[in-house]
Structures are given as C-alpha cells and as structure tokens.
Amino acid sequence: GEWDELGYPRSPAGEGAMGLLADTTRLVGEMKAAWWFIENPYGPLRHFTAMTGFNRGYPSRNRITIDHADYGEGPSFLTDVWTNAFWWQPRKEAVSRIARRPADDEVQAIPPASRRLPAPAIAEMFDQLDGYLRSRAAGNEFTAPNLDS
C-alpha cells in the first residue's frame, strides 16, 4: 500500500495524496465555503491525524460512509464523505453497515471512474440543500428528512 501502519505516506503517490488533502482543506478554509463535501474511497484516510477534526461528528463536521450499490451504481463500493452540511441525510439504506475494510486489491479492481460519488447521491445532496434553504427562507425551523419512513 501507499501508507505505513501510522498513516504516513510510503510512496510518491501517497505523498501526492496527502498534498491534495492539505490543498483541499486549505481551500475550504480560505473560501469560507458555507457547505463543503470531501469524498474519498473508504480506506486509511479516515484514521489519519489530518482527519481527526473532521471525524468529530454532528453538527459542525461529520463523516458518513455510503455504499454505491445502494444508489444503483454498480457493485458494492464504500465511500467516506466528510461534510459540514448537517442537513444532508443520505438515504437510510445507503449508510454503510461496514463488516470489514475492503482490501487494497478490491478497491484497485474498481475502475477509477466508478469510484466517484454516485450521481444519485449528489442529486440527493442538492435536493436536501434546496429543502433546507426553502425552510430557512420561510422562517421555519429546519427538520432533517425522516429516513425511517
């Protein structure tokens, strides 16, 4: 793999990935983005020191793991999504019930284009953002979607 047991890069690719993460988090801060999402295939990133603050949980930052198959996008493939969008509640069946971490060769076997966040998940995010903004504009208290129905 690209990482040692402590989450430090062992290769130029790993170093490049950490640089990309640093640039991404820097840009989120500099842009003062109201809402942001960072996605990454399920893997060691969730355990890195750099992500500690992002794993705090509701309401300011949370990590949700979704399964692409539950959005109708090919085989089962897990993706971590870090966000400050407290109003985003992925469909109930898509929140992963992780039994084990996929092996590196299983992740590598999935074509890179299939590793992106599923389009229905992105549409769901925009739909829920619209609901949140409409609720706020109407002066109503926001209520997260009921995922149990």
Side-chain angles (χ1 to χ4, degrees):
E2 308 293 339
W3 317 101
D4 69 15
E5 62 280 352
L6 298 175
Y8 291 100
R10 296 198 277 211
S11 68
E15 290 172 7
M18 291 306 291
L20 179 60
L21 174 63
D23 289 346
T24 300
T25 56
R26 179 184 50 76
L27 284 171
V28 165
E30 286 177 4
M31 292 179 0
K32 295 182 172 58
W35 309 112
W36 49 262
F37 297 84
I38 299 173
E39 68 89 17
N40 191 68
Y42 179 91
L45 181 61
R46 63 186 12 237
H47 303 293
F48 290 177
T49 304
M51 297 310 285
T52 301
F54 291 86
N55 293 331
R56 285 193 310 216
Y58 184 86
S60 64
R61 298 175 182 177
N62 55 80
R63 183 194 74 231
I64 299 170
T65 303
I66 63 168
D67 189 332
H68 291 222
D70 290 326
Y71 282 96
E73 295 256 332
S76 182
F77 182 72
L78 303 178
T79 295
D80 285 330
V81 180
W82 290 268
T83 182
N84 68 337
F86 62 87
W87 42 261
W88 178 53
Q89 301 291 318
R91 50 180 84 165
K92 186 177 180 182
E93 67 275 8
V95 177
S96 176
R97 297 143 306 276
I98 299 167
R100 66 177 181 83
R101 180 176 176 259
D104 287 344
D105 61 335
E106 292 174 301
V107 172
Q108 295 305 319
I110 297 173
S114 298
R115 295 184 213 159
R116 74 195 186 301
L117 201 58
I122 296 169
E124 176 182 81
M125 291 171 183
F126 280 111
D127 286 345
Q128 290 181 22
L129 171 60
D130 183 57
Y132 169 71
L133 294 174
R134 287 175 187 266
S135 176
R136 227 175 85 183
N140 298 327
E141 187 172 320
F142 175 71
T143 307
N146 181 355
L147 302 178
D148 295 325
S149 55

Short mmCIF file of all heavy atoms in Angstrom, two decimals, residues 85-143:
data_model
loop_
_atom_site.label_atom_id
_atom_site.label_comp_id
_atom_site.label_asym_id
_atom_site.label_seq_id
_atom_site.Cartn_x
_atom_site.Cartn_y
_atom_site.Cartn_z
N ALA A 85 -22.35 19.87 6.18
CA ALA A 85 -23.76 20.02 5.80
C ALA A 85 -24.63 19.13 6.70
O ALA A 85 -24.98 18.02 6.33
CB ALA A 85 -23.95 19.68 4.33
N PHE A 86 -24.96 19.66 7.86
CA PHE A 86 -25.74 18.90 8.83
C PHE A 86 -27.09 18.49 8.29
O PHE A 86 -27.70 17.53 8.76
CB PHE A 86 -25.92 19.72 10.12
CG PHE A 86 -26.67 21.00 9.91
CD1 PHE A 86 -28.06 21.03 9.96
CD2 PHE A 86 -26.00 22.17 9.62
CE1 PHE A 86 -28.75 22.20 9.75
CE2 PHE A 86 -26.67 23.35 9.41
CZ PHE A 86 -28.06 23.37 9.48
N TRP A 87 -27.59 19.17 7.29
CA TRP A 87 -28.90 18.89 6.73
C TRP A 87 -28.87 17.70 5.78
O TRP A 87 -29.92 17.19 5.41
CB TRP A 87 -29.44 20.11 5.99
CG TRP A 87 -28.42 20.82 5.18
CD1 TRP A 87 -27.73 21.95 5.54
CD2 TRP A 87 -27.91 20.45 3.89
NE1 TRP A 87 -26.84 22.30 4.56
CE2 TRP A 87 -26.93 21.40 3.53
CE3 TRP A 87 -28.19 19.42 3.01
CZ2 TRP A 87 -26.24 21.34 2.33
CZ3 TRP A 87 -27.49 19.36 1.83
CH2 TRP A 87 -26.53 20.31 1.49
N TRP A 88 -27.69 17.24 5.36
CA TRP A 88 -27.64 16.10 4.44
C TRP A 88 -27.78 14.81 5.21
O TRP A 88 -26.98 14.49 6.09
CB TRP A 88 -26.34 16.08 3.63
CG TRP A 88 -26.24 14.88 2.73
CD1 TRP A 88 -27.17 14.47 1.81
CD2 TRP A 88 -25.19 13.93 2.67
NE1 TRP A 88 -26.74 13.33 1.17
CE2 TRP A 88 -25.53 12.97 1.69
CE3 TRP A 88 -23.99 13.79 3.35
CZ2 TRP A 88 -24.71 11.90 1.38
CZ3 TRP A 88 -23.17 12.72 3.03
CH2 TRP A 88 -23.54 11.79 2.05
N GLN A 89 -28.81 14.08 4.87
CA GLN A 89 -29.06 12.76 5.46
C GLN A 89 -29.19 11.77 4.31
O GLN A 89 -30.21 11.76 3.63
CB GLN A 89 -30.36 12.77 6.27
CG GLN A 89 -30.37 13.78 7.39
CD GLN A 89 -29.40 13.40 8.49
OE1 GLN A 89 -29.30 12.25 8.86
NE2 GLN A 89 -28.68 14.39 9.00
N PRO A 90 -28.14 10.97 4.04
CA PRO A 90 -28.25 10.04 2.91
C PRO A 90 -29.37 9.05 3.15
O PRO A 90 -29.76 8.79 4.28
CB PRO A 90 -26.90 9.35 2.88
CG PRO A 90 -26.26 9.62 4.19
CD PRO A 90 -26.91 10.82 4.78
N ARG A 91 -29.89 8.54 2.05
CA ARG A 91 -30.98 7.57 2.20
C ARG A 91 -30.55 6.46 3.15
O ARG A 91 -29.39 6.04 3.15
CB ARG A 91 -31.43 7.03 0.86
CG ARG A 91 -30.32 6.54 -0.04
CD ARG A 91 -30.82 6.02 -1.36
NE ARG A 91 -31.00 7.10 -2.30
CZ ARG A 91 -31.16 6.93 -3.60
NH1 ARG A 91 -31.15 5.73 -4.10
NH2 ARG A 91 -31.32 7.95 -4.40
N LYS A 92 -31.47 6.02 3.93
CA LYS A 92 -31.17 5.10 5.04
C LYS A 92 -30.40 3.87 4.58
O LYS A 92 -29.43 3.46 5.21
CB LYS A 92 -32.46 4.70 5.72
CG LYS A 92 -32.26 3.87 6.96
CD LYS A 92 -33.57 3.57 7.63
CE LYS A 92 -33.35 2.74 8.86
NZ LYS A 92 -34.59 2.40 9.51
N GLU A 93 -30.82 3.27 3.47
CA GLU A 93 -30.17 2.04 3.03
C GLU A 93 -28.75 2.27 2.52
O GLU A 93 -27.97 1.34 2.43
CB GLU A 93 -31.01 1.33 1.95
CG GLU A 93 -31.11 2.07 0.64
CD GLU A 93 -32.21 3.13 0.58
OE1 GLU A 93 -32.84 3.43 1.61
OE2 GLU A 93 -32.44 3.66 -0.52
N ALA A 94 -28.40 3.53 2.22
CA ALA A 94 -27.08 3.80 1.67
C ALA A 94 -26.01 3.96 2.74
O ALA A 94 -24.83 3.86 2.45
CB ALA A 94 -27.11 5.06 0.81
N VAL A 95 -26.41 4.22 3.98
CA VAL A 95 -25.42 4.37 5.05
C VAL A 95 -24.86 2.99 5.33
O VAL A 95 -25.58 2.06 5.65
CB VAL A 95 -26.03 5.00 6.30
CG1 VAL A 95 -25.00 5.07 7.41
CG2 VAL A 95 -26.56 6.39 5.98
N SER A 96 -23.58 2.89 5.15
CA SER A 96 -22.93 1.59 5.16
C SER A 96 -22.98 0.88 6.51
O SER A 96 -22.82 1.48 7.56
CB SER A 96 -21.48 1.76 4.74
OG SER A 96 -20.82 0.53 4.83
N ARG A 97 -23.18 -0.37 6.41
CA ARG A 97 -23.05 -1.27 7.56
C ARG A 97 -21.76 -2.03 7.34
O ARG A 97 -21.73 -3.09 6.73
CB ARG A 97 -24.25 -2.22 7.61
CG ARG A 97 -25.53 -1.44 7.82
CD ARG A 97 -26.73 -1.99 7.07
NE ARG A 97 -26.59 -2.19 5.64
CZ ARG A 97 -26.77 -1.24 4.73
NH1 ARG A 97 -27.02 -0.03 5.06
NH2 ARG A 97 -26.67 -1.52 3.45
N ILE A 98 -20.67 -1.45 7.77
CA ILE A 98 -19.34 -1.96 7.42
C ILE A 98 -19.00 -3.20 8.22
O ILE A 98 -18.92 -3.17 9.44
CB ILE A 98 -18.27 -0.88 7.65
CG1 ILE A 98 -18.59 0.32 6.76
CG2 ILE A 98 -16.89 -1.42 7.39
CD1 ILE A 98 -17.81 1.54 7.12
N ALA A 99 -18.82 -4.30 7.52
CA ALA A 99 -18.42 -5.54 8.17
C ALA A 99 -16.90 -5.66 8.22
O ALA A 99 -16.34 -6.23 9.14
CB ALA A 99 -19.02 -6.73 7.42
N ARG A 100 -16.24 -5.14 7.18
CA ARG A 100 -14.79 -5.21 7.13
C ARG A 100 -14.30 -4.17 6.14
O ARG A 100 -15.03 -3.72 5.26
CB ARG A 100 -14.33 -6.59 6.69
CG ARG A 100 -14.73 -6.91 5.26
CD ARG A 100 -14.22 -8.26 4.80
NE ARG A 100 -14.62 -8.49 3.43
CZ ARG A 100 -13.98 -8.03 2.37
NH1 ARG A 100 -12.90 -7.33 2.50
NH2 ARG A 100 -14.41 -8.29 1.15
N ARG A 101 -13.05 -3.81 6.30
CA ARG A 101 -12.43 -2.87 5.36
C ARG A 101 -12.07 -3.62 4.09
O ARG A 101 -11.47 -4.69 4.15
CB ARG A 101 -11.17 -2.28 5.99
CG ARG A 101 -10.49 -1.31 5.07
CD ARG A 101 -9.29 -0.68 5.76
NE ARG A 101 -8.64 0.15 4.78
CZ ARG A 101 -7.54 -0.20 4.12
NH1 ARG A 101 -6.94 -1.33 4.38
NH2 ARG A 101 -7.03 0.59 3.23
N PRO A 102 -12.43 -3.07 2.92
CA PRO A 102 -12.05 -3.75 1.68
C PRO A 102 -10.53 -3.77 1.51
O PRO A 102 -9.85 -2.82 1.90
CB PRO A 102 -12.70 -2.90 0.59
CG PRO A 102 -13.31 -1.73 1.24
CD PRO A 102 -13.15 -1.84 2.71
N ALA A 103 -10.03 -4.84 0.97
CA ALA A 103 -8.59 -4.97 0.72
C ALA A 103 -8.20 -4.01 -0.40
O ALA A 103 -9.01 -3.67 -1.26
CB ALA A 103 -8.25 -6.41 0.33
N ASP A 104 -6.93 -3.58 -0.39
CA ASP A 104 -6.45 -2.65 -1.41
C ASP A 104 -6.68 -3.17 -2.82
O ASP A 104 -7.05 -2.43 -3.71
CB ASP A 104 -4.96 -2.35 -1.22
CG ASP A 104 -4.69 -1.45 -0.03
OD1 ASP A 104 -5.65 -0.82 0.46
OD2 ASP A 104 -3.53 -1.39 0.41
N ASP A 105 -6.49 -4.50 -3.02
CA ASP A 105 -6.68 -5.04 -4.37
C ASP A 105 -8.15 -5.01 -4.79
O ASP A 105 -8.46 -4.88 -5.96
CB ASP A 105 -6.08 -6.43 -4.51
CG ASP A 105 -6.70 -7.46 -3.57
OD1 ASP A 105 -7.24 -7.07 -2.51
OD2 ASP A 105 -6.63 -8.66 -3.90
N GLU A 106 -9.08 -5.09 -3.82
CA GLU A 106 -10.50 -4.98 -4.15
C GLU A 106 -10.83 -3.56 -4.60
O GLU A 106 -11.58 -3.36 -5.55
CB GLU A 106 -11.36 -5.33 -2.94
CG GLU A 106 -11.30 -6.79 -2.55
CD GLU A 106 -12.06 -7.06 -1.27
OE1 GLU A 106 -11.73 -6.46 -0.24
OE2 GLU A 106 -13.00 -7.87 -1.33
N VAL A 107 -10.27 -2.57 -3.92
CA VAL A 107 -10.50 -1.18 -4.29
C VAL A 107 -9.88 -0.91 -5.65
O VAL A 107 -10.49 -0.28 -6.52
CB VAL A 107 -9.92 -0.22 -3.22
CG1 VAL A 107 -9.99 1.22 -3.70
CG2 VAL A 107 -10.67 -0.38 -1.91
N GLN A 108 -8.66 -1.38 -5.88
CA GLN A 108 -7.97 -1.14 -7.14
C GLN A 108 -8.68 -1.83 -8.31
O GLN A 108 -8.53 -1.39 -9.45
CB GLN A 108 -6.51 -1.61 -7.06
CG GLN A 108 -5.68 -0.83 -6.07
CD GLN A 108 -5.71 0.67 -6.31
OE1 GLN A 108 -5.65 1.13 -7.44
NE2 GLN A 108 -5.83 1.44 -5.25
N ALA A 109 -9.44 -2.88 -8.06
CA ALA A 109 -10.12 -3.61 -9.12
C ALA A 109 -11.30 -2.81 -9.68
O ALA A 109 -11.79 -3.11 -10.76
CB ALA A 109 -10.61 -4.96 -8.61
N ILE A 110 -11.77 -1.81 -8.96
CA ILE A 110 -12.88 -0.99 -9.43
C ILE A 110 -12.32 0.15 -10.26
O ILE A 110 -11.43 0.87 -9.82
CB ILE A 110 -13.70 -0.46 -8.23
CG1 ILE A 110 -14.29 -1.64 -7.47
CG2 ILE A 110 -14.78 0.50 -8.69
CD1 ILE A 110 -14.98 -1.27 -6.18
N PRO A 111 -12.82 0.32 -11.48
CA PRO A 111 -12.28 1.38 -12.34
C PRO A 111 -12.39 2.75 -11.67
O PRO A 111 -13.38 3.03 -11.00
CB PRO A 111 -13.18 1.32 -13.59
CG PRO A 111 -13.83 -0.01 -13.55
CD PRO A 111 -13.90 -0.42 -12.11
N PRO A 112 -11.37 3.61 -11.84
CA PRO A 112 -11.39 4.93 -11.19
C PRO A 112 -12.66 5.73 -11.43
O PRO A 112 -13.16 6.38 -10.53
CB PRO A 112 -10.16 5.64 -11.78
CG PRO A 112 -9.24 4.52 -12.13
CD PRO A 112 -10.13 3.39 -12.56
N ALA A 113 -13.22 5.66 -12.64
CA ALA A 113 -14.44 6.43 -12.92
C ALA A 113 -15.61 5.96 -12.07
O ALA A 113 -16.53 6.72 -11.77
CB ALA A 113 -14.80 6.32 -14.40
N SER A 114 -15.59 4.70 -11.64
CA SER A 114 -16.67 4.16 -10.81
C SER A 114 -16.48 4.48 -9.34
O SER A 114 -17.34 4.19 -8.53
CB SER A 114 -16.77 2.64 -10.98
OG SER A 114 -17.06 2.34 -12.32
N ARG A 115 -15.34 5.06 -8.98
CA ARG A 115 -15.07 5.36 -7.58
C ARG A 115 -15.59 6.73 -7.17
O ARG A 115 -15.54 7.08 -6.02
CB ARG A 115 -13.56 5.29 -7.30
CG ARG A 115 -13.00 3.91 -7.47
CD ARG A 115 -11.55 3.90 -7.08
NE ARG A 115 -10.85 2.94 -7.89
CZ ARG A 115 -9.55 2.93 -8.09
NH1 ARG A 115 -8.80 3.85 -7.54
NH2 ARG A 115 -9.00 2.02 -8.82
N ARG A 116 -16.07 7.51 -8.12
CA ARG A 116 -16.58 8.83 -7.79
C ARG A 116 -17.89 8.69 -7.00
O ARG A 116 -18.51 7.63 -7.02
CB ARG A 116 -16.81 9.66 -9.04
CG ARG A 116 -18.04 9.18 -9.79
CD ARG A 116 -18.14 9.69 -11.18
NE ARG A 116 -19.37 9.34 -11.84
CZ ARG A 116 -19.83 8.13 -12.06
NH1 ARG A 116 -19.16 7.07 -11.63
NH2 ARG A 116 -20.97 7.92 -12.69
N LEU A 117 -18.28 9.76 -6.35
CA LEU A 117 -19.54 9.75 -5.62
C LEU A 117 -20.67 9.50 -6.60
O LEU A 117 -20.71 10.11 -7.67
CB LEU A 117 -19.72 11.10 -4.92
CG LEU A 117 -20.67 11.15 -3.75
CD1 LEU A 117 -20.26 10.18 -2.65
CD2 LEU A 117 -20.73 12.56 -3.19
N PRO A 118 -21.60 8.59 -6.29
CA PRO A 118 -22.67 8.29 -7.25
C PRO A 118 -23.52 9.53 -7.56
O PRO A 118 -23.84 10.32 -6.66
CB PRO A 118 -23.52 7.25 -6.52
CG PRO A 118 -22.65 6.69 -5.45
CD PRO A 118 -21.68 7.78 -5.09
N ALA A 119 -23.88 9.70 -8.83
CA ALA A 119 -24.69 10.85 -9.25
C ALA A 119 -25.98 10.97 -8.44
O ALA A 119 -26.37 12.08 -8.05
CB ALA A 119 -24.97 10.77 -10.74
N PRO A 120 -26.69 9.85 -8.13
CA PRO A 120 -27.90 10.00 -7.31
C PRO A 120 -27.61 10.55 -5.91
O PRO A 120 -28.45 11.24 -5.33
CB PRO A 120 -28.46 8.57 -7.24
CG PRO A 120 -27.93 7.89 -8.45
CD PRO A 120 -26.55 8.48 -8.65
N ALA A 121 -26.43 10.29 -5.37
CA ALA A 121 -26.09 10.84 -4.06
C ALA A 121 -25.89 12.35 -4.17
O ALA A 121 -26.31 13.11 -3.28
CB ALA A 121 -24.82 10.17 -3.51
N ILE A 122 -25.27 12.80 -5.26
CA ILE A 122 -25.08 14.24 -5.46
C ILE A 122 -26.43 14.92 -5.65
O ILE A 122 -26.69 15.98 -5.07
CB ILE A 122 -24.13 14.49 -6.65
CG1 ILE A 122 -22.74 13.94 -6.32
CG2 ILE A 122 -24.07 15.98 -6.98
CD1 ILE A 122 -21.80 13.89 -7.51
N ALA A 123 -27.32 14.31 -6.44
CA ALA A 123 -28.66 14.87 -6.63
C ALA A 123 -29.40 14.95 -5.29
O ALA A 123 -30.09 15.94 -5.01
CB ALA A 123 -29.45 14.01 -7.62
N GLU A 124 -29.24 13.93 -4.47
CA GLU A 124 -29.87 13.91 -3.15
C GLU A 124 -29.36 15.09 -2.30
O GLU A 124 -30.12 15.75 -1.61
CB GLU A 124 -29.54 12.58 -2.48
CG GLU A 124 -30.02 12.40 -1.07
CD GLU A 124 -29.57 11.05 -0.54
OE1 GLU A 124 -28.40 10.95 -0.11
OE2 GLU A 124 -30.38 10.12 -0.59
N MET A 125 -28.05 15.35 -2.37
CA MET A 125 -27.48 16.48 -1.63
C MET A 125 -28.11 17.80 -2.06
O MET A 125 -28.50 18.62 -1.22
CB MET A 125 -25.97 16.54 -1.83
CG MET A 125 -25.21 15.43 -1.18
SD MET A 125 -23.48 15.49 -1.73
CE MET A 125 -22.82 14.05 -0.93
N PHE A 126 -28.22 18.01 -3.38
CA PHE A 126 -28.80 19.26 -3.87
C PHE A 126 -30.28 19.36 -3.51
O PHE A 126 -30.76 20.45 -3.15
CB PHE A 126 -28.60 19.40 -5.38
CG PHE A 126 -27.23 19.89 -5.74
CD1 PHE A 126 -26.33 19.06 -6.37
CD2 PHE A 126 -26.84 21.18 -5.44
CE1 PHE A 126 -25.05 19.51 -6.70
CE2 PHE A 126 -25.56 21.65 -5.76
CZ PHE A 126 -24.67 20.81 -6.40
N ASP A 127 -31.01 18.27 -3.60
CA ASP A 127 -32.43 18.29 -3.20
C ASP A 127 -32.58 18.67 -1.74
O ASP A 127 -33.44 19.47 -1.37
CB ASP A 127 -33.08 16.92 -3.44
CG ASP A 127 -33.34 16.63 -4.90
OD1 ASP A 127 -33.30 17.57 -5.72
OD2 ASP A 127 -33.60 15.45 -5.22
N GLN A 128 -31.74 18.10 -0.88
CA GLN A 128 -31.85 18.40 0.53
C GLN A 128 -31.37 19.82 0.84
O GLN A 128 -31.91 20.48 1.74
CB GLN A 128 -31.10 17.36 1.36
CG GLN A 128 -31.82 16.02 1.32
CD GLN A 128 -31.12 14.97 2.14
OE1 GLN A 128 -30.36 15.26 3.05
NE2 GLN A 128 -31.39 13.71 1.82
N LEU A 129 -30.37 20.32 0.12
CA LEU A 129 -29.95 21.70 0.29
C LEU A 129 -31.11 22.63 -0.07
O LEU A 129 -31.41 23.58 0.65
CB LEU A 129 -28.73 22.03 -0.57
CG LEU A 129 -28.33 23.51 -0.63
CD1 LEU A 129 -27.99 24.05 0.76
CD2 LEU A 129 -27.17 23.70 -1.59
N ASP A 130 -31.79 22.34 -1.18
CA ASP A 130 -32.93 23.15 -1.59
C ASP A 130 -33.99 23.15 -0.49
O ASP A 130 -34.54 24.21 -0.15
CB ASP A 130 -33.50 22.60 -2.90
CG ASP A 130 -34.65 23.45 -3.42
OD1 ASP A 130 -34.44 24.66 -3.62
OD2 ASP A 130 -35.75 22.90 -3.60
N GLY A 131 -34.29 21.99 0.08
CA GLY A 131 -35.27 21.91 1.16
C GLY A 131 -34.85 22.72 2.38
O GLY A 131 -35.66 23.42 3.00
N TYR A 132 -33.57 22.64 2.70
CA TYR A 132 -33.04 23.40 3.84
C TYR A 132 -33.17 24.91 3.59
O TYR A 132 -33.65 25.66 4.45
CB TYR A 132 -31.59 23.03 4.10
CG TYR A 132 -30.90 23.94 5.08
CD1 TYR A 132 -31.23 23.91 6.43
CD2 TYR A 132 -29.95 24.86 4.65
CE1 TYR A 132 -30.62 24.76 7.33
CE2 TYR A 132 -29.34 25.71 5.54
CZ TYR A 132 -29.67 25.67 6.88
OH TYR A 132 -29.07 26.52 7.76
N LEU A 133 -32.76 25.37 2.40
CA LEU A 133 -32.81 26.80 2.09
C LEU A 133 -34.24 27.32 2.03
O LEU A 133 -34.54 28.42 2.51
CB LEU A 133 -32.08 27.09 0.77
CG LEU A 133 -30.57 26.84 0.79
CD1 LEU A 133 -29.98 27.01 -0.60
CD2 LEU A 133 -29.88 27.73 1.81
N ARG A 134 -35.17 26.53 1.45
CA ARG A 134 -36.58 26.93 1.40
C ARG A 134 -37.16 27.03 2.81
O ARG A 134 -37.91 27.95 3.11
CB ARG A 134 -37.39 25.96 0.56
CG ARG A 134 -37.14 26.07 -0.91
CD ARG A 134 -37.90 24.98 -1.68
NE ARG A 134 -37.55 24.96 -3.05
CZ ARG A 134 -38.23 25.61 -4.00
NH1 ARG A 134 -39.29 26.32 -3.68
NH2 ARG A 134 -37.85 25.53 -5.25
N SER A 135 -36.82 26.08 3.65
CA SER A 135 -37.31 26.08 5.03
C SER A 135 -36.81 27.31 5.77
O SER A 135 -37.56 27.99 6.48
CB SER A 135 -36.84 24.79 5.73
OG SER A 135 -37.21 24.79 7.07
N ARG A 136 -35.53 27.62 5.58
CA ARG A 136 -34.94 28.79 6.24
C ARG A 136 -35.56 30.09 5.72
O ARG A 136 -35.87 30.99 6.48
CB ARG A 136 -33.44 28.79 5.99
CG ARG A 136 -32.65 29.05 7.24
CD ARG A 136 -31.20 28.93 6.98
NE ARG A 136 -30.73 30.22 6.46
CZ ARG A 136 -29.50 30.44 6.08
NH1 ARG A 136 -28.61 29.49 6.13
NH2 ARG A 136 -29.14 31.61 5.64
N ALA A 137 -35.75 30.18 4.40
CA ALA A 137 -36.31 31.39 3.80
C ALA A 137 -37.75 31.63 4.28
O ALA A 137 -38.19 32.77 4.42
CB ALA A 137 -36.28 31.29 2.27
N ALA A 138 -38.46 30.55 4.54
CA ALA A 138 -39.84 30.67 5.02
C ALA A 138 -39.91 30.94 6.52
O ALA A 138 -40.99 31.09 7.08
CB ALA A 138 -40.61 29.40 4.68
N GLY A 139 -38.74 30.99 7.16
CA GLY A 139 -38.71 31.25 8.59
C GLY A 139 -39.04 30.04 9.44
O GLY A 139 -39.30 30.16 10.64
N ASN A 140 -39.03 28.88 8.81
CA ASN A 140 -39.34 27.65 9.55
C ASN A 140 -38.08 27.05 10.14
O ASN A 140 -36.99 27.22 9.61
CB ASN A 140 -39.98 26.61 8.61
CG ASN A 140 -41.28 27.09 8.03
OD1 ASN A 140 -42.02 27.83 8.67
ND2 ASN A 140 -41.55 26.70 6.80
N GLU A 141 -38.26 26.31 11.22
CA GLU A 141 -37.14 25.58 11.79
C GLU A 141 -36.88 24.38 10.89
O GLU A 141 -37.80 23.71 10.45
CB GLU A 141 -37.49 25.12 13.20
CG GLU A 141 -36.32 24.49 13.92
CD GLU A 141 -36.63 24.23 15.38
OE1 GLU A 141 -37.27 25.08 16.01
OE2 GLU A 141 -36.23 23.17 15.85
N PHE A 142 -35.62 24.13 10.61
CA PHE A 142 -35.27 23.02 9.72
C PHE A 142 -35.44 21.69 10.43
O PHE A 142 -35.05 21.53 11.58
CB PHE A 142 -33.82 23.15 9.24
CG PHE A 142 -33.38 21.99 8.41
CD1 PHE A 142 -33.86 21.79 7.15
CD2 PHE A 142 -32.50 21.05 8.94
CE1 PHE A 142 -33.46 20.72 6.37
CE2 PHE A 142 -32.09 19.97 8.18
CZ PHE A 142 -32.58 19.81 6.89
N THR A 143 -36.03 20.75 9.73
CA THR A 143 -36.16 19.39 10.23
C THR A 143 -35.50 18.47 9.22
O THR A 143 -35.82 18.51 8.04
CB THR A 143 -37.66 19.00 10.38
OG1 THR A 143 -38.30 19.99 11.17
CG2 THR A 143 -37.79 17.64 11.04
#
